[in-house]
Amino acid sequence: MEASMAFTTLYGKEEGSGFEDQPQDGPSLSGSAQEQGKEKPSEHEDKPPDDPSFPSSAQQQEEEGNHAPGDQPQDGSSSSSSAVTHTGEDEEIVITDIQVKEPALGLRRLPAGFYTVVHHSGHEWRTENKRSSVSDDVVEWRGPIPLPSDRSATIGLEVYASFEFQPMLGTGEHLRTLTITADQLLDCSAKHIPFTLLPKNGDIVSPCSSILVTVEQRNGESSDPTVSTVLGPLCSTIETLNELEDATNHGHSALSRYRKHGGKRDLERSVAEFERALNNCPLDHPCRAAAQSNLAMAKLILCQVEDTIASLEIPIRLYHNALAARPVGHTDRPSTLVQLAAVHLARFEKQRDDVDGARVEELLHEAMELSSTDSNENRAVSLMLQLYAGHRSGPDHASSQPSVDSHSSSHLTDEDPWILSVQLLKRFEQYGDLADLQRAITLLQKLVRSVSGWDDGLRVGLGNLGAALSLRFEHLGELSDLEDAISTHRDAVHLTPDGHPDRPSRLNNLGISFITRFERLGELSDLEDAISTHNDAVVLIPDGHPHKPGMLNNLGKSLITRFSRLGELRDLEDAISTHRDAVHLTPDGHPHKPSRLNNLGISFRARFERIGELSDIEDAISTHRDAIHLTPDGHPDKPSRLNNLGLSFRACFERLGELRDLEDAILTHRDAVRLTPDGHPDKPSRLSNLGISFIIRFERLGELSDLKDAILTHRDAVHLTPDGHPDKPSRLNSLGNSFITRFERLGELSDLEDAISTHRDAVALIPRGHPHKPSMLNNFGKSFITRFERLGELRDLEDAISTHRDAVCLTPDGHPDKPSCLNSLGNSYITRFLRLGELSDLEDAISTHKDAVHLTPDGHPDRPSRLSNLGISFRARFLRLGELSDLEDAISTHRDAVHLTPDGHPDKPSRLNSLGISFRARFEHLGELRDLEDAILTHNDAVVLIPHGHPDKPSRLNNLGISFRARFERLGELSDLEDAISTHRDAVVLIPHGHPHKPGMLNNLGNCFKARFESLREPSDLKVAISLYSHAASVPIGPISVRFRASRNWILCARRIRHPSLLRAHSIAINLLPQLAWIGLSLTHRYAELKRGVDVVREAAAAALDSGFPELAVEWLEQGRSIVWGELLQLRGSYEQLSSAHPDHARRLRELSAALDDAGATREKPLSTFSELTDDVMHRATQTLQQVADAHRTLAIERDKLLQEIRRLPGFNRFLVQKDFSQLRASAQYGPVVVLNAAKRRCDALIVLPNVDHVIHVPLPNFTFQRSTDLQGILKSFLRNALVERTGQVEKWDRGTWESFLSPLWKSVVEPVMDALAFSMPGELSRIFWCPTGPFVFLPIHAAGLYDAKYSEPGHKVFDFVVSSYVPTLSILAPSRNTHAAHNDDFRLLAVRQPPTDGQLSRLPGVHTELEHIKESLG
């Protein structure tokens, strides 16, 4: 029993690869350093299984009898025209059944299944791949296959053998072809006569002795293909194959010819074709195992023909790799076991090596256990066991061990079965053959069941069975194995009495299983159970016991795992102390000394990453070096220890920026990967760490080859990690980060989409509650931010903030990743502030960045990055609110960030750049030249330090150029302006097309040329500036505010020289206005944004009138005025025309619009409306309003997306977009509409009449913009002088002053309009609608006239001719498209009557009567 006991302690050994950190590099905010959120992969990683897949004709499930999706003809031809027989109007002929007798007869290779192909009329129908059994020599397929209408048409029926069941590669081996007419098929079917097939030439027997086909005539409705198990028609018979399938098919054909004729050339051709197939089969291809098996078979035959036994290593390796990809449960595993056993048997026959003999037995017994008794595999096993037994009983082996009882699966030898089970487990650990593990588990399960009365044996057996189940879980990833392992270990502990010497060992193994389950599922209770169990084991094992250090080591690993999850520094300190004790108690020369040193080094590195003490990372490197030095070459743990040393080198580089450390990291990681054999479960982890190091070197040196190597390495890591493996999300996460990095360098949008898709997969695969979930959400959010910055889609920005919030929420307080997640959330807030301008986002950014800095300890390598981002937020608030204290805080914070960043660090230029921007901002505020000089020096250092080709180089050049221009504007030195132009030009050349920062850089370069024009008066400079501004304003990407500013600059320059692009400049500016005042903003913010473009619309209309386009002027005035009011009205529309044509779209639009309207109203609700404004209530109210604001923006984004969808519908391309003049003139149906425009250079009246297809343009040369503002000022003074005093006396107005105010309005504005409308004589009053703009809005146009006594006769005042009304836009008068709209019972109107004023003001006559008329009209 000692052997069994030994394995119990053997499993308790340390796994040095248990804590391989994988920094998650994510993109950061411009101007901030890139940060790494750390995550710890689980201890073991599985080899990737082959994913189930099918040939091009997806396999059917016979019991369902359905076609899989996509099984219909793909070539566009109608199956009823050529492929289906119609013997009459309602009849067709179909094959309903195919039976093939003895398909395996004379077949020289073990088949996996058989299928048939029927082809005619250019189409193929392929049946499912079906197995045959020993007891039944007939294979049958059911399902309708349509036949051609022409009974003389030729039908081809072929039978194939496949050598893998799924996934199948190529066509397999062609067995028989039957060529016959449809008429002959009908005749034989009616008589139930099979087609008998004679042996092929030269064969005694051949596969498929007969084929019976059943054909029926059916009504048309009976041939519904959905009831068929036949897969087809799938493709044209002339469809070409890919190279992998083509080579496989050629290989099968050559091998078949060799077996028939014996020509070695055919055998060599078969080997060559199968080699070509394998070379064209990617590592992650689902058919790779099939390609390996095919080549192995051909190689085996060639070795036997050439009698080169040494070459049998090749087919053994190939079959071994194929077997690894076909785990227990895979349909093709039994046949692969038999084939591998055949190679070992061939070598045993020649060499009589007991190792090969044992392998034959093991493989065949596993195949027997996994295959059914009547299968071809089982029969082959029986035959091979008999053959092997015959060889063993020969003269050379007469005195050897007794032969194996082939009918027993429990006894392979006469050894003690308990010893045998341990030997199998040890051999599995040495060679990794899953067959050994499978046999050990089966044997132990039987032994445990057989010793219920033998307590000590039962405890030992349970312990070893738990260990074996854990090993299988590590290799196959089946959670049931892990659950069974825990249950079994628990039973072993429960049955071991207190004080028993083996109790600590069994507690230790139970603790390891708890840790493993925690790493898989992330349940904190498992981690707590692991620590408690390991602690009990350490307490119970006496000092001096040889297993004490190992149990301390495992306790230390559990403690550091809890630190990684919860961030409690106490756990980290306890872990280091525990690992130190483990190392101290392990004598020099002990085989586990390197492993324990390795884990101590990991703990040192973890403390360095948490606290930032340089001594810790130095101790980590020193300890890892000692571990590697003590690990002999060839030791299986050498790669793991190299990997961990590489991680420490990388951490040191990230702190100090010494390139030597990074080079050492890459070299060490490369060695770790090189020494890790293919198929090893830790290979993907080590590839991933190597890939991260490549990315970091790329970011430092900018070599594209490093970026390429990183992506290739990460892809390999992902492909080698099987689906369902707990580390798959981590690998996807790292690959996503690499895609982001390449996008930032090359600007290919496909990389960005790949990054988001990959990060989404990573987040989806990792369960909620898993300790790595926040880190992956953090990187996912960064991908959204990056896409927003490229494409400007607000949906991405909202998704980024939501994702970052989730990451922060899921990260417990005190966790070392909390500051990183807060930092990313703060970056998202500041990005949204810069896009939308909401002050709440800026305050949230500062608060969040402050928390991130506060939680980051001094000396932490990421502290400079977080300080830099906090400084950016301070500066943004200064620029918004103008508080100098914010700017001082920004400069102080940026200085600290620069000071803490070592020289040579890749983020040094970024932090210098941010500091330079803040220096320049203080110069612009205070005018101190010293600040500007500091800004230029700092920006110049940033440019010098950043390598050429770095994606941030254009940004650094841009900021340097801005500072040069600022010094030119201060000192007037033309050399500064020339330097600014040169620097900005370099920035524009370097930044890729489509980058969101390009408009800003073009605008800045344009400013430089404009400044040079002002200085030198060279017209060419102004033309270049116009070209640059137009480019900046016209691109569809980049911040709206930047593009709008560029359009304003374009307008100003084009106006100076009457450039032909002036009208286009105005058009672009007007089109940008609604985006500036986006409907997802608060009303207050929207109006504030519109103030920035207050004069743009009026000046645009004036420019259109200068060019002779009054209709365009009306359209622009309509488009640019009342943007907010017009969109609010749209939210309450009924969309009658859309409802008629597309009711679902209309319903969704109404629902979204109503919700958006409600959210907008709620958002305007002030905090003061909440009762009892306690701190708690204020906090909850603030959170509620934040949620409302988030919902408001989300609804606006969804509505914008829906409108784009509606505008793609036929006839709705201009749905809810600005109307042209031909539509606007209908608004004048109730009377003329007069638009009054006051621009700086001219004032005009534009008259719109319903039946006139042009605008009546009335210039107002005697009325200027200045005159309108003067009159506005006079009116304000009138209102101030008209205040009512408490005495009830009303101050009399100065009649002369009023006349001087109203008469200019009449003479210069209203009278010209009356003349244009031919209102020369007073008469019946007409209705007129005034639509004033600018200062006209505040002038009483309806009262204009001459009020002197001499003008008392009618004809001198506006109300002598018309009844005046005011409208904000023409659209408000537009007639409803649905003149028959039903009465809306929901309609409500609020009308307020002026209350009595105690005689202080005169009563308005007729108000009561007017209200009564309104009531009557509304019913």
Side-chain angles (χ1 to χ4, degrees):
M1 302 311 302
E2 251 179 79
S4 298
M5 296 282 292
F7 188 74
T8 301
T9 58
L10 176 68
Y11 185 65
K13 72 171 186 176
E14 303 85 345
E15 291 295 331
S17 61
F19 296 93
E20 296 181 6
D21 302 346
Q22 296 198 13
Q24 303 307 311
D25 304 327
S28 66
L29 184 70
S30 177
S32 68
Q34 191 163 351
E35 293 202 18
Q36 293 80 40
K38 314 296 184 193
E39 65 180 58
K40 311 294 187 291
S42 63
E43 182 173 348
H44 297 283
E45 300 172 35
D46 302 332
K47 295 170 68 175
D50 282 348
D51 295 326
S53 64
F54 301 99
S56 59
S57 53
Q59 185 161 354
Q60 303 287 328
Q61 295 186 8
E62 187 171 2
E63 60 271 22
E64 293 179 357
N66 292 332
H67 277 286
D71 284 345
Q72 300 307 312
Q74 301 299 312
D75 60 356
S77 60
S78 170
S79 60
S80 63
S81 63
S82 61
V84 179
T85 298
H86 290 279
T87 59
E89 186 172 338
D90 297 316
E91 290 186 345
E92 61 181 10
I93 303 176
V94 293
I95 295 174
T96 60
D97 189 275
I98 301 174
Q99 295 181 28
V100 174
K101 188 176 182 180
E102 299 176 325
L105 186 65
L107 202 59
R108 294 178 176 87
R109 186 175 174 187
L110 186 64
F114 301 90
Y115 67 94
T116 63
V117 175
V118 177
H119 52 83
H120 64 78
S121 310
H123 294 278
E124 287 184 357
W125 283 260
R126 178 168 167 172
T127 65
E128 64 182 335
N129 196 16
K130 293 193 71 172
R131 294 186 180 278
S132 66
S133 66
V134 176
S135 59
D136 187 356
D137 60 356
V138 174
V139 181
E140 183 177 17
W141 296 269
R142 295 181 182 276
I145 300 176
L147 294 179
S149 55
D150 182 3
R151 293 200 178 192
S152 63
T154 299
I155 312 297
L157 191 153
E158 297 173 339
V159 182
Y160 290 84
S162 66
F163 300 105
E164 54 278 336
F165 197 74
Q166 63 175 18
M168 184 177 165
L169 176 59
T171 59
E173 183 172 338
H174 177 255
L175 303 181
R176 292 287 193 172
T177 297
L178 176 65
T179 304
I180 197 168
T181 65
D183 194 61
Q184 288 172 317
L185 271 180
L186 281 168
D187 184 64
C188 290
S189 174
K191 300 174 182 177
H192 202 67
I193 298 174
F195 295 95
T196 301
L197 304 174
L198 299 176
K200 297 179 182 178
N201 292 336
D203 288 349
I204 300 174
V205 293
S206 293
C208 309
S209 59
S210 68
I211 301 175
L212 176 63
V213 182
T214 303
V215 180
E216 292 181 6
Q217 294 187 10
R218 293 182 173 181
N219 291 331
E221 64 270 21
S222 301
S223 65
D224 183 0
T226 62
V227 301
S228 174
T229 60
V230 177
L231 309 182
L234 291 165
C235 61
S236 169
T237 56
I238 62 171
E239 180 176 330
T240 58
L241 300 173
N242 61 42
E243 190 165 4
L244 170 59
E245 294 176 77
D246 180 72
T248 300
N249 292 340
H250 280 92
H252 282 308
S253 298
L255 189 58
S256 179
R257 289 195 303 272
Y258 164 75
R259 282 174 168 154
K260 181 175 181 179
H261 303 294
K264 187 179 177 183
R265 181 174 297 178
D266 284 325
L267 179 58
E268 291 171 341
R269 171 71 184 279
S270 174
V271 170
E273 291 294 341
F274 284 139
E275 283 179 338
R276 180 165 70 96
L278 186 58
N279 291 335
N280 282 281
C281 188
L283 290 176
D284 60 329
H285 196 286
C287 291
R288 186 167 178 84
Q292 291 168 333
S293 296
N294 289 332
L295 179 57
M297 170 61 71
K299 283 279 190 181
L300 170 61
I301 298 171
L302 185 61
C303 291
Q304 291 172 325
V305 169
E306 295 179 342
D307 200 22
T308 53
I309 297 303
S311 299
L312 286 174
E313 282 295 332
I314 296 174
I316 287 175
R317 188 184 72 249
L318 288 166
Y319 274 133
H320 191 276
N321 291 339
L323 190 64
R326 292 168 170 174
V328 176
H330 195 287
T331 54
D332 291 322
R333 184 172 179 84
S335 63
T336 312
L337 289 163
V338 172
Q339 291 161 352
L340 179 55
V343 188
H344 281 289
L345 181 58
R347 192 162 65 178
F348 176 80
E349 291 172 354
K350 292 291 184 180
Q351 298 181 342
R352 300 302 174 108
D353 189 324
D354 287 339
V355 174
D356 280 318
R359 291 295 290 138
V360 171
E361 288 185 86
E362 294 155 12
L363 293 166
L364 293 178
H365 278 284
E366 185 186 353
M368 181 175 286
E369 291 173 5
L370 295 178
S371 58
S372 60
T373 56
D374 64 341
S375 66
N376 288 303
E377 290 87 353
N378 195 279
R379 182 171 65 174
V381 167
S382 298
L383 292 172
M384 289 180 67
L385 282 172
Q386 293 173 18
L387 183 62
Y388 171 66
H391 286 298
R392 284 182 57 84
S393 63
D396 295 335
H397 266 68
S399 62
S400 187
Q401 297 178 1
S403 62
V404 176
D405 179 4
S406 62
H407 300 289
S408 170
S409 61
S410 306
H411 299 81
L412 301 183
T413 70
D414 285 342
E415 292 183 80
D416 184 289
W418 294 97
I419 297 174
L420 177 60
S421 68
V422 174
Q423 289 176 340
L424 286 167
L425 290 171
K426 286 183 175 180
R427 193 163 66 186
F428 167 74
E429 287 207 319
Q430 184 175 4
Y431 298 109
D433 192 335
L434 280 171
D436 287 332
L437 181 59
Q438 181 67 26
R439 298 229 21 252
I441 290 173
T442 302
L443 188 57
L444 283 166
Q445 286 171 336
K446 291 182 179 180
L447 289 171
V448 166
R449 288 195 296 267
S450 68
V451 292
S452 57
W454 179 32
D455 291 343
D456 194 43
L458 179 59
R459 289 192 293 267
V460 172
L462 286 170
N464 286 347
L465 177 58
L469 290 166
S470 295
L471 286 169
R472 191 166 70 182
F473 165 75
E474 292 163 12
H475 283 75
L476 301 181
E478 289 291 336
L479 195 59
S480 60
D481 280 335
L482 183 56
E483 299 293 346
D484 290 343
I486 291 174
S487 175
T488 307
H489 281 310
R490 270 187 170 138
D491 290 343
V493 170
H494 177 70
L495 291 172
T496 305
D498 293 338
H500 192 287
D502 287 338
R503 187 171 177 86
S505 176
R506 288 164 191 160
L507 284 165
N508 180 64
N509 286 339
L510 176 58
I512 291 173
S513 296
F514 280 135
I515 276 288
T516 304
R517 187 166 69 181
F518 165 75
E519 291 169 341
R520 174 65 179 265
L521 302 179
E523 291 290 337
L524 197 59
S525 59
D526 281 329
L527 182 54
E528 298 297 339
D529 287 342
I531 291 174
S532 173
T533 308
H534 280 308
N535 194 64
D536 289 345
V538 168
V539 169
L540 290 176
I541 197 164
D543 292 338
H545 193 287
H547 296 162
K548 182 98 173 184
M551 294 183 186
L552 283 166
N553 182 71
N554 288 333
L555 174 59
K557 289 165 67 177
S558 300
L559 287 166
I560 202 167
T561 300
R562 187 166 68 183
F563 163 74
S564 302
R565 171 65 183 269
L566 302 179
E568 291 289 338
L569 195 59
R570 180 71 262 163
D571 282 331
L572 183 54
E573 297 296 344
D574 288 344
I576 291 176
S577 173
T578 306
H579 280 308
R580 271 186 168 141
D581 289 344
V583 169
H584 175 71
L585 292 175
T586 306
D588 292 339
H590 192 284
H592 290 163
K593 185 91 169 186
S595 171
R596 291 161 193 170
L597 284 165
N598 179 66
N599 287 331
L600 176 59
I602 291 170
S603 301
F604 280 136
R605 186 175 73 247
R607 189 165 66 182
F608 164 73
E609 291 167 347
R610 173 62 183 271
I611 298 176
E613 288 290 338
L614 201 57
S615 59
D616 277 331
I617 196 61
E618 291 170 349
D619 287 342
I621 292 173
S622 172
T623 308
H624 282 308
R625 276 182 164 147
D626 289 343
I628 290 170
H629 176 71
L630 293 175
T631 305
D633 291 340
H635 192 283
D637 288 336
K638 186 95 169 186
S640 169
R641 290 158 196 168
L642 286 165
N643 179 70
N644 287 326
L645 176 60
L647 292 172
S648 295
F649 277 136
R650 190 168 75 217
C652 191
F653 164 77
E654 291 167 344
R655 171 63 183 275
L656 301 178
E658 292 288 339
L659 195 59
R660 178 71 259 165
D661 286 327
L662 181 56
E663 297 295 341
D664 286 342
I666 291 175
L667 286 173
T668 310
H669 281 309
R670 271 188 166 138
D671 287 343
V673 169
R674 178 178 56 81
L675 293 175
T676 305
D678 292 340
H680 192 283
D682 290 332
K683 185 93 169 189
S685 170
R686 291 159 196 167
L687 284 166
S688 183
N689 286 328
L690 175 60
I692 292 172
S693 296
F694 280 138
I695 281 288
I696 293 174
R697 188 166 68 181
F698 163 75
E699 290 167 345
R700 173 64 181 270
L701 302 179
E703 292 290 337
L704 275 174
S705 58
D706 280 331
L707 183 54
K708 180 182 177 182
D709 288 342
I711 291 176
L712 289 174
T713 307
H714 281 308
R715 273 190 166 133
D716 287 345
V718 168
H719 290 155
L720 291 175
T721 306
D723 292 340
H725 192 282
D727 288 336
K728 186 86 168 188
S730 168
R731 310 280 145 70
L732 287 165
N733 183 62
S734 297
L735 177 59
N737 293 339
S738 300
F739 283 135
I740 280 287
T741 303
R742 188 165 68 182
F743 164 75
E744 291 172 340
R745 173 60 185 271
L746 302 179
E748 291 291 336
L749 199 58
S750 59
D751 281 329
L752 182 53
E753 297 299 337
D754 286 342
I756 290 177
S757 173
T758 307
H759 279 309
R760 181 178 280 114
D761 290 344
V763 168
L765 288 176
I766 197 165
R768 191 170 184 86
H770 193 285
H772 304 164
K773 184 93 172 181
S775 170
M776 294 182 189
L777 284 167
N778 194 40
N779 287 330
F780 191 25
K782 290 175 183 178
S783 298
F784 280 130
I785 280 288
T786 304
R787 188 165 69 180
F788 163 75
E789 291 172 344
R790 171 61 186 269
L791 302 179
E793 291 289 338
L794 278 170
R795 175 75 268 166
D796 285 328
L797 183 53
E798 295 298 322
D799 286 342
I801 291 177
S802 173
T803 306
H804 283 310
R805 277 179 178 154
D806 288 345
V808 169
C809 179
L810 291 175
T811 306
D813 292 338
H815 193 283
D817 287 343
K818 188 86 169 186
S820 174
C821 295
L822 285 165
N823 180 70
S824 297
L825 177 59
N827 290 347
S828 299
Y829 281 137
I830 198 73
T831 301
R832 189 166 69 184
F833 165 74
L834 295 173
R835 172 65 168 82
L836 301 180
E838 294 281 1
L839 193 59
S840 61
D841 281 331
L842 182 54
E843 297 297 341
D844 287 341
I846 292 175
S847 172
T848 309
H849 280 311
K850 277 180 172 175
D851 289 344
V853 170
H854 174 71
L855 292 174
T856 305
D858 292 338
H860 192 283
D862 290 331
R863 187 171 177 86
S865 167
R866 291 160 193 169
L867 284 166
S868 184
N869 288 335
L870 176 59
I872 291 171
S873 298
F874 278 137
R875 186 176 67 240
R877 188 165 68 181
F878 162 74
L879 295 173
R880 175 65 178 268
L881 302 179
E883 290 290 336
L884 189 60
S885 60
D886 280 329
L887 184 54
E888 296 298 339
D889 287 341
I891 291 175
S892 173
T893 308
H894 282 309
R895 273 185 166 139
D896 289 344
V898 169
H899 175 71
L900 292 173
T901 305
D903 292 339
H905 194 283
D907 291 328
K908 188 89 169 186
S910 169
R911 288 157 199 169
L912 286 165
N913 178 69
S914 296
L915 177 59
I917 294 172
S918 295
F919 278 139
R920 188 175 67 242
R922 189 166 68 180
F923 161 74
E924 292 168 349
H925 189 70
L926 301 178
E928 292 287 339
L929 192 60
R930 178 71 259 165
D931 282 327
L932 183 55
E933 297 295 342
D934 287 342
I936 290 175
L937 287 173
T938 308
H939 281 309
N940 193 65
D941 287 345
V943 169
V944 169
L945 290 176
I946 198 165
H948 185 70
H950 193 284
D952 290 337
K953 186 90 170 184
S955 172
R956 308 295 176 259
L957 287 165
N958 179 67
N959 288 323
L960 176 59
I962 293 172
S963 296
F964 277 137
R965 182 165 57 86
R967 189 165 67 181
F968 162 75
E969 291 169 350
R970 173 65 179 271
L971 302 178
E973 291 288 340
L974 198 59
S975 60
D976 280 330
L977 184 56
E978 295 299 335
D979 287 341
I981 290 174
S982 174
T983 308
H984 278 305
R985 189 179 272 132
D986 289 344
V988 168
V989 168
L990 289 176
I991 197 164
H993 179 70
H995 196 285
H997 295 165
K998 188 139 192 172
M1001 294 181 187
L1002 289 165
N1003 186 65
N1004 289 333
L1005 181 55
N1007 290 339
C1008 292
F1009 277 105
K1010 180 186 173 188
R1012 193 165 72 177
F1013 167 77
E1014 300 287 356
S1015 179
L1016 303 179
R1017 296 293 167 177
E1018 284 288 341
S1020 59
D1021 283 334
L1022 198 58
K1023 290 179 181 178
V1024 173
I1026 289 172
S1027 175
L1028 291 166
Y1029 289 140
S1030 66
H1031 190 183
S1034 303
V1035 293
I1037 57 160
I1040 301 299
S1041 58
V1042 171
R1043 290 152 57 193
F1044 184 73
R1045 187 162 59 247
S1047 69
R1048 298 289 301 272
N1049 290 333
W1050 180 8
I1051 290 168
L1052 292 174
C1053 292
R1055 186 184 295 153
R1056 294 184 69 164
I1057 58 175
R1058 302 186 66 81
H1059 196 271
S1061 67
L1062 179 60
L1063 288 184
R1064 174 164 167 73
H1066 279 297
S1067 176
I1068 287 177
I1070 290 173
N1071 286 329
L1072 289 172
L1073 275 175
Q1075 299 177 63
L1076 270 179
W1078 179 54
I1079 198 171
L1081 301 174
S1082 66
L1083 280 175
T1084 304
H1085 189 184
R1086 296 181 75 189
Y1087 283 121
E1089 289 293 334
L1090 286 174
K1091 285 181 180 178
R1092 298 163 59 183
V1094 65
D1095 61 338
V1096 167
V1097 179
R1098 300 195 306 274
E1099 295 301 327
L1105 293 171
D1106 287 340
S1107 300
F1109 300 111
E1111 290 76 23
L1112 180 61
V1114 170
E1115 291 174 3
W1116 280 353
L1117 288 167
E1118 182 70 13
Q1119 181 178 350
R1121 284 178 45 75
S1122 299
I1123 290 174
V1124 175
W1125 174 249
E1127 287 184 335
L1128 287 175
L1129 286 178
Q1130 283 184 3
L1131 292 180
R1132 300 167 189 179
S1134 56
Y1135 320 118
E1136 293 94 344
Q1137 188 177 7
L1138 182 64
S1139 296
S1140 299
H1142 303 281
D1144 287 342
H1145 287 80
R1147 175 187 54 77
R1148 287 165 54 202
L1149 182 58
R1150 280 193 297 269
E1151 290 172 353
L1152 278 174
S1153 298
L1156 185 58
D1157 194 13
D1158 290 342
T1162 306
R1163 194 173 179 183
E1164 301 305 313
K1165 184 178 181 181
L1167 282 174
S1168 59
T1169 58
F1170 291 87
S1171 60
E1172 300 181 10
L1173 288 177
T1174 64
D1175 289 343
D1176 183 58
V1177 171
M1178 283 288 290
H1179 176 70
R1180 283 188 283 109
T1182 301
Q1183 280 192 324
T1184 299
L1185 291 181
Q1186 183 186 60
Q1187 291 169 356
V1188 169
D1190 290 343
H1192 186 215
R1193 284 188 293 267
T1194 299
L1195 288 167
I1197 292 167
E1198 291 178 2
R1199 184 175 181 271
D1200 288 345
K1201 185 177 179 181
L1202 178 58
L1203 286 174
Q1204 293 174 6
E1205 183 181 332
I1206 291 171
R1207 287 167 188 155
R1208 289 193 291 269
L1209 298 173
F1212 287 88
N1213 59 310
R1214 294 190 59 79
F1215 180 74
L1216 294 188
V1217 298
Q1218 185 53 46
K1219 300 173 182 176
D1220 56 28
F1221 178 72
S1222 63
Q1223 297 169 300
L1224 289 172
R1225 68 182 186 181
S1227 301
Q1229 60 179 331
Y1230 302 112
V1233 179
V1234 181
V1235 182
L1236 298 173
N1237 188 56
K1240 296 286 186 183
R1241 295 173 293 103
R1242 62 183 296 159
C1243 294
D1244 299 90
L1246 303 169
I1247 303 172
V1248 179
L1249 297 172
N1251 298 318
V1252 179
D1253 61 1
H1254 62 275
V1255 171
I1256 299 174
H1257 177 205
V1258 182
L1260 305 175
N1262 297 322
F1263 198 81
T1264 64
F1265 185 85
Q1266 185 59 48
R1267 184 69 180 275
S1268 68
T1269 55
D1270 291 343
L1271 290 176
Q1272 184 181 346
I1274 293 172
L1275 179 60
K1276 288 179 181 179
S1277 67
F1278 288 168
L1279 296 176
R1280 284 194 298 269
N1281 293 332
L1283 292 176
V1284 179
E1285 298 185 359
R1286 291 293 179 185
T1287 59
Q1289 298 296 319
V1290 180
E1291 183 178 319
K1292 293 184 179 180
W1293 292 335
D1294 183 340
R1295 182 72 61 183
T1297 302
W1298 273 107
E1299 288 172 354
S1300 64
F1301 173 73
L1302 294 172
S1303 62
L1305 283 177
W1306 170 259
K1307 293 178 180 178
S1308 302
V1309 178
V1310 176
E1311 188 175 29
V1313 171
M1314 295 297 105
D1315 290 343
L1317 290 172
F1319 291 157
S1320 57
M1321 296 293 293
E1324 184 179 350
L1325 297 180
S1326 300
R1327 186 77 176 271
I1328 195 169
F1329 296 90
W1330 302 100
C1331 185
T1333 72
F1336 276 124
V1337 172
F1338 302 99
L1339 301 179
I1341 306 299
H1342 64 283
L1346 303 177
Y1347 287 87
D1348 192 84
K1350 62 182 178 180
Y1351 299 112
S1352 58
E1353 293 295 325
H1356 301 287
K1357 304 172 186 64
V1358 65
F1359 47 75
D1360 291 337
F1361 300 94
V1362 293
V1363 176
S1364 296
S1365 295
Y1366 291 96
V1367 291
T1369 63
L1370 277 78
S1371 297
I1372 203 169
L1373 296 173
S1376 172
R1377 294 186 178 184
N1378 187 0
T1379 58
H1380 305 290
H1383 176 70
N1384 188 349
D1385 294 333
D1386 243 2
F1387 178 79
R1388 290 172 292 176
L1389 173 70
L1390 174 66
V1392 180
R1393 183 174 60 190
Q1394 171 69 43
T1397 58
D1398 299 328
Q1400 294 182 30
L1401 291 174
S1402 60
R1403 301 171 70 88
L1404 291 174
V1407 171
H1408 180 75
T1409 305
E1410 186 173 354
L1411 281 177
E1412 292 301 321
H1413 284 311
I1414 292 173
K1415 287 182 181 179
E1416 292 176 9
S1417 299
L1418 295 178

